Amino acid sequence: MPLRFHNTLTQQTQVFEPLEGNLVRMYTCGPTVYDFAHIGNFRTFVFYDILRRWLRLSGYKLDHVMNITDVDDKIIRNATALGQSLGQYTDTYTKAFLDDCATLRLERPERLARATEHIPQMAAAIKKLEDTGYTYRSDGSIYFRIAKFPEYGKLSHNDFSGIVSGARVDVDEYEKNDARDFALWKAPKPGEFNWDTEVGTGRPGWHIECSVMAVQYLGATLDLHAGGVDLVFPHHENEIAQSEALTGKQFARYWMHSEFLLVDGQKMSKSLGNFYTLRDLFGKGFTPESVRYLLASVPYRKGLNFTFDGLTSSKTAIERLRNFKHRLDTAKLAPGLGEAIQSLAVASLKQFRDAMDDDLNTAEALGAVFEFLREANTALDAGTFLEDNRAAALELLNLFDAVFEILVPAEQAGAIPAEEVESLIAARTAAKKARDFAKSDAIRNELLEKGVILEDTKEGVRWKRK
RNA sequence: GGCGCGGUAGCCAAGUGGUAAGGCCAGGGUCUGCAAAACCCUUAUUCGUGGGUUCGAUUCCCACCCGCGCCUCCA
């Protein structure tokens, strides 16, 4: 089945094909580094990661740019309050963001682009828009005149034709000609962080950075542009207006937007006390893998209701997958090929691929894995899962983990070393053999307290960390 | 009000014009010195409400109710 994505621009799910061969030029909206990113942000960043991985696994090469917005009102406010330079302030949160991404095993885009490192390019773009009549100045700021861009609204499917009537409004009386016009360049404020450029002193508006950096690194027409739904309007709509006014070419061919994450059915907000960063969750004992799994398991276009029950349930599901992987890796199997389980493996692999091809339907892809897992366990118990079945089963599981990447546990600081665990297990086994159950149970409890769970199986003792 | 997304078992959630994937929880079982862990089994005559189209709708159409998002730089 061909790879298909839902395109916000056309409001349809359509076959994805890049403009040029197997190279995908993509741009995703990254964080504004004014604070720690929260799990709602990471829902979107995990979506980018799944998208990247599936494109790669589908045989595409990626040229992916993500911006780091390191100048905006909140950053300026906070940095000023702390008496820090912009760079000092944003470095802290940029680093925290990148650390969090690594913890969640998010692939790094081919390029991260910081807004403050592209100020001259933004000024040049604004200059060009001025020269071509797309802008006007007002009180030292430069605005984009959306009346000059008839297609404005095509992404968010809003009809602005009734609102766009700039001529009525007196420029001297109003900051903007039209309520929908947006700032390309903001007038300098005394005591704040400003840049001297060819269009004057001040600082860039929010939207221009994405247009400029995307076009600079990826060319006038992107294959794919993604972000959270809340960015559809105005951010992405404005990006389109600027970019297409600038280049005269279609800006992005496919627009993908991830839905919101809710907490207990409500929007996350500081006042409700349901506002979580990754640090908060790890502090409560949840693992990065559980967070990653939960955020990845609900298809990106569906609102995701985040709950602690959900995290706990993810942890259990991950355990089951890891147990199965371990069993596949270590089981002693009779030679031969079990026909039934083999055809199920092939079918499950196809189902997994088809589901991912269908606009990244991760929920159905997971369903395929678990269904196979159950049948394979039954076959393993029954002895109808044979040596030559191992490869296809591992292929499915490896493909699954190439997307979800949760099978290998993260290292935990302060954990009991493996050698120590092994020697305690040896002592327990000896005690059991001598039928000294008091001693063997004591060792078992000691290990449990240190976070190690023992599993007595026919093949011997297996252990894992809690 | 406009635009968009969604309402499927206790919770999370997939899906199709032909009679409901999967995960978690719960209950039952296998295994075990006892446990744990692991594994298996069971769990929606029903898909927000009311109409309509159809031989047949959760799936198509209409209306309504409810939740969420955007409509001033929130992923």
Side-chain angles (χ1 to χ4, degrees), chain A residues 40 74 180 186 228 231 302 361 444 456:
Chain A
K74 273 180 284 210
R180 304 287 166 168
K186 296 185 174 186
L231 296 184
K302 181 141 181 172
N361 189 340
R444 184 169 70 193
D456 290 333

PDB file of all heavy atoms in Angstrom, chain A residues 40 74 180 186 228 231 302 361 444 456, chain B residues 3 14-15 33 35 39 71 73-75:
ATOM      1  N   GLY A  40       2.712  18.066  26.486  1.00  0.00           N
ATOM      2  CA  GLY A  40       1.908  18.429  25.318  1.00  0.00           C
ATOM      3  C   GLY A  40       2.811  18.757  24.137  1.00  0.00           C
ATOM      4  O   GLY A  40       2.570  18.318  23.013  1.00  0.00           O
ATOM      5  N   LYS A  74       8.134  36.442  25.603  1.00  0.00           N
ATOM      6  CA  LYS A  74       8.324  35.796  26.914  1.00  0.00           C
ATOM      7  C   LYS A  74       9.811  35.642  27.238  1.00  0.00           C
ATOM      8  O   LYS A  74      10.228  35.809  28.380  1.00  0.00           O
ATOM      9  CB  LYS A  74       7.639  34.434  26.918  1.00  0.00           C
ATOM     10  CG  LYS A  74       6.168  34.538  27.320  1.00  0.00           C
ATOM     11  CD  LYS A  74       5.481  33.194  27.317  1.00  0.00           C
ATOM     12  CE  LYS A  74       5.206  32.784  25.915  1.00  0.00           C
ATOM     13  NZ  LYS A  74       4.073  31.951  25.642  1.00  0.00           N
ATOM     14  N   ARG A 180      -6.102  41.431  10.621  1.00  0.00           N
ATOM     15  CA  ARG A 180      -5.412  40.177  10.316  1.00  0.00           C
ATOM     16  C   ARG A 180      -3.960  40.375   9.891  1.00  0.00           C
ATOM     17  O   ARG A 180      -3.224  39.422   9.758  1.00  0.00           O
ATOM     18  CB  ARG A 180      -6.154  39.426   9.206  1.00  0.00           C
ATOM     19  CG  ARG A 180      -7.609  39.157   9.514  1.00  0.00           C
ATOM     20  CD  ARG A 180      -7.746  38.085  10.540  1.00  0.00           C
ATOM     21  NE  ARG A 180      -9.103  38.062  11.073  1.00  0.00           N
ATOM     22  CZ  ARG A 180      -9.594  37.088  11.824  1.00  0.00           C
ATOM     23  NH1 ARG A 180      -8.832  36.076  12.146  1.00  0.00           N
ATOM     24  NH2 ARG A 180     -10.825  37.138  12.267  1.00  0.00           N
ATOM     25  N   LYS A 186       9.318  44.059  14.370  1.00  0.00           N
ATOM     26  CA  LYS A 186       8.731  44.836  15.456  1.00  0.00           C
ATOM     27  C   LYS A 186       9.622  46.005  15.840  1.00  0.00           C
ATOM     28  O   LYS A 186      10.849  45.875  15.899  1.00  0.00           O
ATOM     29  CB  LYS A 186       8.518  43.932  16.675  1.00  0.00           C
ATOM     30  CG  LYS A 186       7.508  42.827  16.425  1.00  0.00           C
ATOM     31  CD  LYS A 186       7.245  42.042  17.702  1.00  0.00           C
ATOM     32  CE  LYS A 186       6.119  41.036  17.476  1.00  0.00           C
ATOM     33  NZ  LYS A 186       5.759  40.364  18.730  1.00  0.00           N
ATOM     34  N   GLY A 228       1.895  21.482  15.466  1.00  0.00           N
ATOM     35  CA  GLY A 228       0.685  21.212  16.238  1.00  0.00           C
ATOM     36  C   GLY A 228      -0.490  21.928  15.606  1.00  0.00           C
ATOM     37  O   GLY A 228      -0.307  22.925  14.910  1.00  0.00           O
ATOM     38  N   LEU A 231      -1.048  25.670  15.503  1.00  0.00           N
ATOM     39  CA  LEU A 231      -0.220  26.523  14.646  1.00  0.00           C
ATOM     40  C   LEU A 231      -0.834  26.759  13.266  1.00  0.00           C
ATOM     41  O   LEU A 231      -0.357  27.610  12.519  1.00  0.00           O
ATOM     42  CB  LEU A 231       1.172  25.902  14.469  1.00  0.00           C
ATOM     43  CG  LEU A 231       2.000  25.784  15.747  1.00  0.00           C
ATOM     44  CD1 LEU A 231       3.385  25.247  15.411  1.00  0.00           C
ATOM     45  CD2 LEU A 231       2.121  27.118  16.458  1.00  0.00           C
ATOM     46  N   LYS A 302      -5.440  12.358  16.445  1.00  0.00           N
ATOM     47  CA  LYS A 302      -6.503  12.172  17.420  1.00  0.00           C
ATOM     48  C   LYS A 302      -6.068  12.799  18.736  1.00  0.00           C
ATOM     49  O   LYS A 302      -4.923  12.642  19.151  1.00  0.00           O
ATOM     50  CB  LYS A 302      -6.741  10.671  17.592  1.00  0.00           C
ATOM     51  CG  LYS A 302      -7.822  10.368  18.552  1.00  0.00           C
ATOM     52  CD  LYS A 302      -8.657   9.213  18.087  1.00  0.00           C
ATOM     53  CE  LYS A 302      -9.761   8.979  19.094  1.00  0.00           C
ATOM     54  NZ  LYS A 302     -10.724   8.017  18.673  1.00  0.00           N
ATOM     55  N   ASN A 361      -0.937   5.168  11.309  1.00  0.00           N
ATOM     56  CA  ASN A 361      -1.901   4.634  12.270  1.00  0.00           C
ATOM     57  C   ASN A 361      -1.174   3.720  13.270  1.00  0.00           C
ATOM     58  O   ASN A 361      -1.164   2.491  13.152  1.00  0.00           O
ATOM     59  CB  ASN A 361      -3.007   3.863  11.539  1.00  0.00           C
ATOM     60  CG  ASN A 361      -4.140   3.492  12.475  1.00  0.00           C
ATOM     61  OD1 ASN A 361      -3.962   3.461  13.700  1.00  0.00           O
ATOM     62  ND2 ASN A 361      -5.297   3.217  11.912  1.00  0.00           N
ATOM     63  N   ARG A 444      15.706 -13.494  47.617  1.00  0.00           N
ATOM     64  CA  ARG A 444      14.728 -13.025  46.635  1.00  0.00           C
ATOM     65  C   ARG A 444      14.159 -11.667  47.065  1.00  0.00           C
ATOM     66  O   ARG A 444      14.038 -10.750  46.244  1.00  0.00           O
ATOM     67  CB  ARG A 444      13.589 -14.042  46.518  1.00  0.00           C
ATOM     68  CG  ARG A 444      12.563 -13.719  45.461  1.00  0.00           C
ATOM     69  CD  ARG A 444      11.638 -14.884  45.217  1.00  0.00           C
ATOM     70  NE  ARG A 444      10.746 -15.122  46.350  1.00  0.00           N
ATOM     71  CZ  ARG A 444      10.013 -16.220  46.515  1.00  0.00           C
ATOM     72  NH1 ARG A 444      10.103 -17.206  45.637  1.00  0.00           N
ATOM     73  NH2 ARG A 444       9.210 -16.351  47.545  1.00  0.00           N
ATOM     74  N   ASP A 456      11.430 -17.417  37.836  1.00  0.00           N
ATOM     75  CA  ASP A 456      11.847 -18.814  37.799  1.00  0.00           C
ATOM     76  C   ASP A 456      11.188 -19.491  36.610  1.00  0.00           C
ATOM     77  O   ASP A 456       9.970 -19.598  36.542  1.00  0.00           O
ATOM     78  CB  ASP A 456      11.419 -19.524  39.089  1.00  0.00           C
ATOM     79  CG  ASP A 456      12.239 -19.020  40.271  1.00  0.00           C
ATOM     80  OD1 ASP A 456      13.373 -18.589  40.052  1.00  0.00           O
ATOM     81  OD2 ASP A 456      11.725 -19.058  41.395  1.00  0.00           O
TER      82      ASP A 456
ATOM     83  P     C B   3     -18.266  27.404   8.881  1.00  0.00           P
ATOM     84  OP1   C B   3     -18.579  27.148   7.470  1.00  0.00           O
ATOM     85  OP2   C B   3     -19.062  26.776   9.954  1.00  0.00           O
ATOM     86  O5'   C B   3     -16.733  27.037   9.135  1.00  0.00           O
ATOM     87  C5'   C B   3     -15.725  27.480   8.231  1.00  0.00           C
ATOM     88  C4'   C B   3     -14.376  27.124   8.780  1.00  0.00           C
ATOM     89  O4'   C B   3     -14.158  27.830  10.032  1.00  0.00           O
ATOM     90  C3'   C B   3     -14.198  25.664   9.172  1.00  0.00           C
ATOM     91  O3'   C B   3     -13.959  24.819   8.076  1.00  0.00           O
ATOM     92  C2'   C B   3     -12.989  25.766  10.100  1.00  0.00           C
ATOM     93  O2'   C B   3     -11.795  25.968   9.394  1.00  0.00           O
ATOM     94  C1'   C B   3     -13.335  27.040  10.882  1.00  0.00           C
ATOM     95  N1    C B   3     -14.081  26.708  12.117  1.00  0.00           N
ATOM     96  C2    C B   3     -13.339  26.305  13.234  1.00  0.00           C
ATOM     97  O2    C B   3     -12.104  26.250  13.134  1.00  0.00           O
ATOM     98  N3    C B   3     -13.978  25.968  14.370  1.00  0.00           N
ATOM     99  C4    C B   3     -15.315  26.024  14.424  1.00  0.00           C
ATOM    100  N4    C B   3     -15.901  25.681  15.562  1.00  0.00           N
ATOM    101  C5    C B   3     -16.095  26.433  13.304  1.00  0.00           C
ATOM    102  C6    C B   3     -15.445  26.763  12.182  1.00  0.00           C
ATOM    103  P     A B  14      -8.239   5.687  17.832  1.00  0.00           P
ATOM    104  OP1   A B  14      -7.478   6.677  17.051  1.00  0.00           O
ATOM    105  OP2   A B  14      -9.631   5.973  18.241  1.00  0.00           O
ATOM    106  O5'   A B  14      -8.248   4.312  17.030  1.00  0.00           O
ATOM    107  C5'   A B  14      -7.038   3.848  16.450  1.00  0.00           C
ATOM    108  C4'   A B  14      -7.267   2.528  15.750  1.00  0.00           C
ATOM    109  O4'   A B  14      -7.817   1.562  16.674  1.00  0.00           O
ATOM    110  C3'   A B  14      -8.276   2.522  14.616  1.00  0.00           C
ATOM    111  O3'   A B  14      -7.720   3.039  13.417  1.00  0.00           O
ATOM    112  C2'   A B  14      -8.549   1.036  14.485  1.00  0.00           C
ATOM    113  O2'   A B  14      -7.509   0.376  13.811  1.00  0.00           O
ATOM    114  C1'   A B  14      -8.551   0.598  15.946  1.00  0.00           C
ATOM    115  N9    A B  14      -9.903   0.505  16.498  1.00  0.00           N
ATOM    116  C8    A B  14     -10.548   1.356  17.356  1.00  0.00           C
ATOM    117  N7    A B  14     -11.756   0.967  17.690  1.00  0.00           N
ATOM    118  C5    A B  14     -11.920  -0.231  16.989  1.00  0.00           C
ATOM    119  C6    A B  14     -12.978  -1.143  16.915  1.00  0.00           C
ATOM    120  N6    A B  14     -14.124  -0.995  17.568  1.00  0.00           N
ATOM    121  N1    A B  14     -12.819  -2.231  16.128  1.00  0.00           N
ATOM    122  C2    A B  14     -11.667  -2.380  15.473  1.00  0.00           C
ATOM    123  N3    A B  14     -10.594  -1.586  15.466  1.00  0.00           N
ATOM    124  C4    A B  14     -10.783  -0.520  16.259  1.00  0.00           C
ATOM    125  P     G B  15      -8.674   3.782  12.377  1.00  0.00           P
ATOM    126  OP1   G B  15      -7.815   4.200  11.254  1.00  0.00           O
ATOM    127  OP2   G B  15      -9.485   4.773  13.112  1.00  0.00           O
ATOM    128  O5'   G B  15      -9.660   2.633  11.884  1.00  0.00           O
ATOM    129  C5'   G B  15      -9.156   1.506  11.166  1.00  0.00           C
ATOM    130  C4'   G B  15     -10.238   0.472  11.050  1.00  0.00           C
ATOM    131  O4'   G B  15     -10.660   0.052  12.373  1.00  0.00           O
ATOM    132  C3'   G B  15     -11.522   0.967  10.391  1.00  0.00           C
ATOM    133  O3'   G B  15     -11.429   0.863   8.980  1.00  0.00           O
ATOM    134  C2'   G B  15     -12.558   0.002  10.959  1.00  0.00           C
ATOM    135  O2'   G B  15     -12.527  -1.261  10.316  1.00  0.00           O
ATOM    136  C1'   G B  15     -12.059  -0.170  12.386  1.00  0.00           C
ATOM    137  N9    G B  15     -12.658   0.787  13.323  1.00  0.00           N
ATOM    138  C8    G B  15     -12.160   2.004  13.707  1.00  0.00           C
ATOM    139  N7    G B  15     -12.923   2.630  14.567  1.00  0.00           N
ATOM    140  C5    G B  15     -13.987   1.772  14.763  1.00  0.00           C
ATOM    141  C6    G B  15     -15.134   1.910  15.587  1.00  0.00           C
ATOM    142  O6    G B  15     -15.438   2.829  16.340  1.00  0.00           O
ATOM    143  N1    G B  15     -15.975   0.811  15.490  1.00  0.00           N
ATOM    144  C2    G B  15     -15.748  -0.285  14.693  1.00  0.00           C
ATOM    145  N2    G B  15     -16.671  -1.234  14.722  1.00  0.00           N
ATOM    146  N3    G B  15     -14.677  -0.431  13.919  1.00  0.00           N
ATOM    147  C4    G B  15     -13.851   0.625  14.003  1.00  0.00           C
ATOM    148  P     G B  33       8.541 -26.865  42.680  1.00  0.00           P
ATOM    149  OP1   G B  33       9.975 -27.210  42.742  1.00  0.00           O
ATOM    150  OP2   G B  33       7.589 -27.809  42.027  1.00  0.00           O
ATOM    151  O5'   G B  33       8.009 -26.547  44.130  1.00  0.00           O
ATOM    152  C5'   G B  33       7.562 -27.608  44.986  1.00  0.00           C
ATOM    153  C4'   G B  33       7.380 -27.062  46.372  1.00  0.00           C
ATOM    154  O4'   G B  33       8.674 -26.691  46.897  1.00  0.00           O
ATOM    155  C3'   G B  33       6.561 -25.783  46.451  1.00  0.00           C
ATOM    156  O3'   G B  33       5.189 -26.079  46.494  1.00  0.00           O
ATOM    157  C2'   G B  33       7.062 -25.156  47.746  1.00  0.00           C
ATOM    158  O2'   G B  33       6.442 -25.750  48.883  1.00  0.00           O
ATOM    159  C1'   G B  33       8.537 -25.550  47.735  1.00  0.00           C
ATOM    160  N9    G B  33       9.444 -24.507  47.242  1.00  0.00           N
ATOM    161  C8    G B  33      10.232 -24.573  46.126  1.00  0.00           C
ATOM    162  N7    G B  33      10.970 -23.502  45.957  1.00  0.00           N
ATOM    163  C5    G B  33      10.651 -22.688  47.031  1.00  0.00           C
ATOM    164  C6    G B  33      11.151 -21.412  47.393  1.00  0.00           C
ATOM    165  O6    G B  33      11.978 -20.712  46.814  1.00  0.00           O
ATOM    166  N1    G B  33      10.547 -20.932  48.554  1.00  0.00           N
ATOM    167  C2    G B  33       9.607 -21.615  49.279  1.00  0.00           C
ATOM    168  N2    G B  33       9.138 -20.989  50.356  1.00  0.00           N
ATOM    169  N3    G B  33       9.127 -22.819  48.961  1.00  0.00           N
ATOM    170  C4    G B  33       9.705 -23.293  47.832  1.00  0.00           C
ATOM    171  P     A B  35       1.042 -20.500  46.807  1.00  0.00           P
ATOM    172  OP1   A B  35      -0.330 -20.384  47.275  1.00  0.00           O
ATOM    173  OP2   A B  35       1.341 -21.073  45.465  1.00  0.00           O
ATOM    174  O5'   A B  35       1.700 -19.058  46.918  1.00  0.00           O
ATOM    175  C5'   A B  35       1.928 -18.280  45.794  1.00  0.00           C
ATOM    176  C4'   A B  35       2.912 -17.205  46.176  1.00  0.00           C
ATOM    177  O4'   A B  35       4.219 -17.807  46.449  1.00  0.00           O
ATOM    178  C3'   A B  35       3.199 -16.205  45.080  1.00  0.00           C
ATOM    179  O3'   A B  35       2.203 -15.210  45.070  1.00  0.00           O
ATOM    180  C2'   A B  35       4.551 -15.669  45.488  1.00  0.00           C
ATOM    181  O2'   A B  35       4.465 -14.767  46.568  1.00  0.00           O
ATOM    182  C1'   A B  35       5.240 -16.957  45.977  1.00  0.00           C
ATOM    183  N9    A B  35       5.945 -17.646  44.892  1.00  0.00           N
ATOM    184  C8    A B  35       5.597 -18.815  44.262  1.00  0.00           C
ATOM    185  N7    A B  35       6.443 -19.179  43.324  1.00  0.00           N
ATOM    186  C5    A B  35       7.394 -18.174  43.325  1.00  0.00           C
ATOM    187  C6    A B  35       8.559 -17.968  42.559  1.00  0.00           C
ATOM    188  N6    A B  35       8.963 -18.798  41.608  1.00  0.00           N
ATOM    189  N1    A B  35       9.275 -16.858  42.813  1.00  0.00           N
ATOM    190  C2    A B  35       8.853 -16.022  43.772  1.00  0.00           C
ATOM    191  N3    A B  35       7.784 -16.107  44.553  1.00  0.00           N
ATOM    192  C4    A B  35       7.095 -17.223  44.283  1.00  0.00           C
ATOM    193  P     C B  39       4.152 -12.322  29.450  1.00  0.00           P
ATOM    194  OP1   C B  39       4.636 -11.610  28.246  1.00  0.00           O
ATOM    195  OP2   C B  39       3.305 -11.617  30.440  1.00  0.00           O
ATOM    196  O5'   C B  39       3.373 -13.626  28.995  1.00  0.00           O
ATOM    197  C5'   C B  39       3.968 -14.521  28.065  1.00  0.00           C
ATOM    198  C4'   C B  39       3.222 -15.822  28.063  1.00  0.00           C
ATOM    199  O4'   C B  39       3.334 -16.440  29.377  1.00  0.00           O
ATOM    200  C3'   C B  39       1.717 -15.709  27.861  1.00  0.00           C
ATOM    201  O3'   C B  39       1.371 -15.545  26.498  1.00  0.00           O
ATOM    202  C2'   C B  39       1.250 -17.053  28.420  1.00  0.00           C
ATOM    203  O2'   C B  39       1.553 -18.108  27.535  1.00  0.00           O
ATOM    204  C1'   C B  39       2.137 -17.158  29.665  1.00  0.00           C
ATOM    205  N1    C B  39       1.488 -16.539  30.840  1.00  0.00           N
ATOM    206  C2    C B  39       0.509 -17.285  31.539  1.00  0.00           C
ATOM    207  O2    C B  39       0.242 -18.426  31.144  1.00  0.00           O
ATOM    208  N3    C B  39      -0.102 -16.725  32.602  1.00  0.00           N
ATOM    209  C4    C B  39       0.222 -15.484  32.990  1.00  0.00           C
ATOM    210  N4    C B  39      -0.415 -14.980  34.047  1.00  0.00           N
ATOM    211  C5    C B  39       1.200 -14.702  32.298  1.00  0.00           C
ATOM    212  C6    C B  39       1.811 -15.273  31.232  1.00  0.00           C
ATOM    213  P     C B  71      -5.960  31.453  18.548  1.00  0.00           P
ATOM    214  OP1   C B  71      -4.715  32.210  18.403  1.00  0.00           O
ATOM    215  OP2   C B  71      -6.569  31.276  19.888  1.00  0.00           O
ATOM    216  O5'   C B  71      -7.071  32.076  17.589  1.00  0.00           O
ATOM    217  C5'   C B  71      -6.757  32.372  16.229  1.00  0.00           C
ATOM    218  C4'   C B  71      -7.987  32.881  15.523  1.00  0.00           C
ATOM    219  O4'   C B  71      -9.027  31.874  15.566  1.00  0.00           O
ATOM    220  C3'   C B  71      -8.669  34.089  16.155  1.00  0.00           C
ATOM    221  O3'   C B  71      -7.974  35.280  15.821  1.00  0.00           O
ATOM    222  C2'   C B  71     -10.040  34.024  15.496  1.00  0.00           C
ATOM    223  O2'   C B  71     -10.015  34.508  14.174  1.00  0.00           O
ATOM    224  C1'   C B  71     -10.285  32.509  15.488  1.00  0.00           C
ATOM    225  N1    C B  71     -11.119  32.077  16.623  1.00  0.00           N
ATOM    226  C2    C B  71     -12.515  32.143  16.462  1.00  0.00           C
ATOM    227  O2    C B  71     -12.972  32.533  15.393  1.00  0.00           O
ATOM    228  N3    C B  71     -13.305  31.768  17.494  1.00  0.00           N
ATOM    229  C4    C B  71     -12.768  31.356  18.642  1.00  0.00           C
ATOM    230  N4    C B  71     -13.588  31.002  19.635  1.00  0.00           N
ATOM    231  C5    C B  71     -11.353  31.279  18.830  1.00  0.00           C
ATOM    232  C6    C B  71     -10.574  31.651  17.795  1.00  0.00           C
ATOM    233  P     C B  73      -1.540  35.583  17.969  1.00  0.00           P
ATOM    234  OP1   C B  73      -1.049  36.863  17.451  1.00  0.00           O
ATOM    235  OP2   C B  73      -2.054  34.564  17.067  1.00  0.00           O
ATOM    236  O5'   C B  73      -0.365  34.993  18.883  1.00  0.00           O
ATOM    237  C5'   C B  73      -0.030  33.588  18.854  1.00  0.00           C
ATOM    238  C4'   C B  73       1.337  33.468  19.383  1.00  0.00           C
ATOM    239  O4'   C B  73       2.204  34.163  18.472  1.00  0.00           O
ATOM    240  C3'   C B  73       1.505  34.200  20.710  1.00  0.00           C
ATOM    241  O3'   C B  73       1.076  33.406  21.817  1.00  0.00           O
ATOM    242  C2'   C B  73       2.984  34.615  20.689  1.00  0.00           C
ATOM    243  O2'   C B  73       3.856  33.650  21.215  1.00  0.00           O
ATOM    244  C1'   C B  73       3.262  34.756  19.196  1.00  0.00           C
ATOM    245  N1    C B  73       3.425  36.169  18.812  1.00  0.00           N
ATOM    246  C2    C B  73       4.708  36.718  18.899  1.00  0.00           C
ATOM    247  O2    C B  73       5.623  35.994  19.298  1.00  0.00           O
ATOM    248  N3    C B  73       4.915  38.003  18.551  1.00  0.00           N
ATOM    249  C4    C B  73       3.903  38.740  18.120  1.00  0.00           C
ATOM    250  N4    C B  73       4.153  39.997  17.781  1.00  0.00           N
ATOM    251  C5    C B  73       2.572  38.214  18.039  1.00  0.00           C
ATOM    252  C6    C B  73       2.387  36.932  18.382  1.00  0.00           C
ATOM    253  P     C B  74       1.649  32.076  22.443  1.00  0.00           P
ATOM    254  OP1   C B  74       0.480  31.815  23.296  1.00  0.00           O
ATOM    255  OP2   C B  74       2.966  32.347  23.049  1.00  0.00           O
ATOM    256  O5'   C B  74       1.892  30.809  21.453  1.00  0.00           O
ATOM    257  C5'   C B  74       2.829  29.764  21.797  1.00  0.00           C
ATOM    258  C4'   C B  74       2.184  28.770  22.704  1.00  0.00           C
ATOM    259  O4'   C B  74       0.862  29.261  22.943  1.00  0.00           O
ATOM    260  C3'   C B  74       1.963  27.374  22.110  1.00  0.00           C
ATOM    261  O3'   C B  74       2.931  26.487  22.608  1.00  0.00           O
ATOM    262  C2'   C B  74       0.651  26.934  22.648  1.00  0.00           C
ATOM    263  O2'   C B  74       0.780  26.091  23.770  1.00  0.00           O
ATOM    264  C1'   C B  74      -0.019  28.200  23.104  1.00  0.00           C
ATOM    265  N1    C B  74      -1.224  28.505  22.317  1.00  0.00           N
ATOM    266  C2    C B  74      -2.460  28.293  22.936  1.00  0.00           C
ATOM    267  O2    C B  74      -2.495  27.845  24.082  1.00  0.00           O
ATOM    268  N3    C B  74      -3.587  28.574  22.248  1.00  0.00           N
ATOM    269  C4    C B  74      -3.525  29.042  21.023  1.00  0.00           C
ATOM    270  N4    C B  74      -4.648  29.307  20.386  1.00  0.00           N
ATOM    271  C5    C B  74      -2.274  29.243  20.363  1.00  0.00           C
ATOM    272  C6    C B  74      -1.152  28.958  21.048  1.00  0.00           C
ATOM    273  P     A B  75       4.371  26.372  22.033  1.00  0.00           P
ATOM    274  OP1   A B  75       5.255  26.084  23.166  1.00  0.00           O
ATOM    275  OP2   A B  75       4.705  27.444  21.088  1.00  0.00           O
ATOM    276  O5'   A B  75       4.083  25.028  21.231  1.00  0.00           O
ATOM    277  C5'   A B  75       5.089  24.362  20.517  1.00  0.00           C
ATOM    278  C4'   A B  75       4.350  23.343  19.665  1.00  0.00           C
ATOM    279  O4'   A B  75       3.945  22.238  20.502  1.00  0.00           O
ATOM    280  C3'   A B  75       3.055  23.917  19.098  1.00  0.00           C
ATOM    281  O3'   A B  75       3.298  24.476  17.826  1.00  0.00           O
ATOM    282  C2'   A B  75       2.116  22.719  19.060  1.00  0.00           C
ATOM    283  O2'   A B  75       2.219  22.021  17.862  1.00  0.00           O
ATOM    284  C1'   A B  75       2.643  21.845  20.203  1.00  0.00           C
ATOM    285  N9    A B  75       1.821  21.944  21.411  1.00  0.00           N
ATOM    286  C8    A B  75       1.748  22.984  22.292  1.00  0.00           C
ATOM    287  N7    A B  75       0.935  22.760  23.308  1.00  0.00           N
ATOM    288  C5    A B  75       0.449  21.481  23.081  1.00  0.00           C
ATOM    289  C6    A B  75      -0.460  20.672  23.791  1.00  0.00           C
ATOM    290  N6    A B  75      -1.043  21.040  24.918  1.00  0.00           N
ATOM    291  N1    A B  75      -0.729  19.444  23.292  1.00  0.00           N
ATOM    292  C2    A B  75      -0.130  19.085  22.151  1.00  0.00           C
ATOM    293  N3    A B  75       0.738  19.760  21.387  1.00  0.00           N
ATOM    294  C4    A B  75       0.988  20.975  21.917  1.00  0.00           C
TER     295        A B  75
END
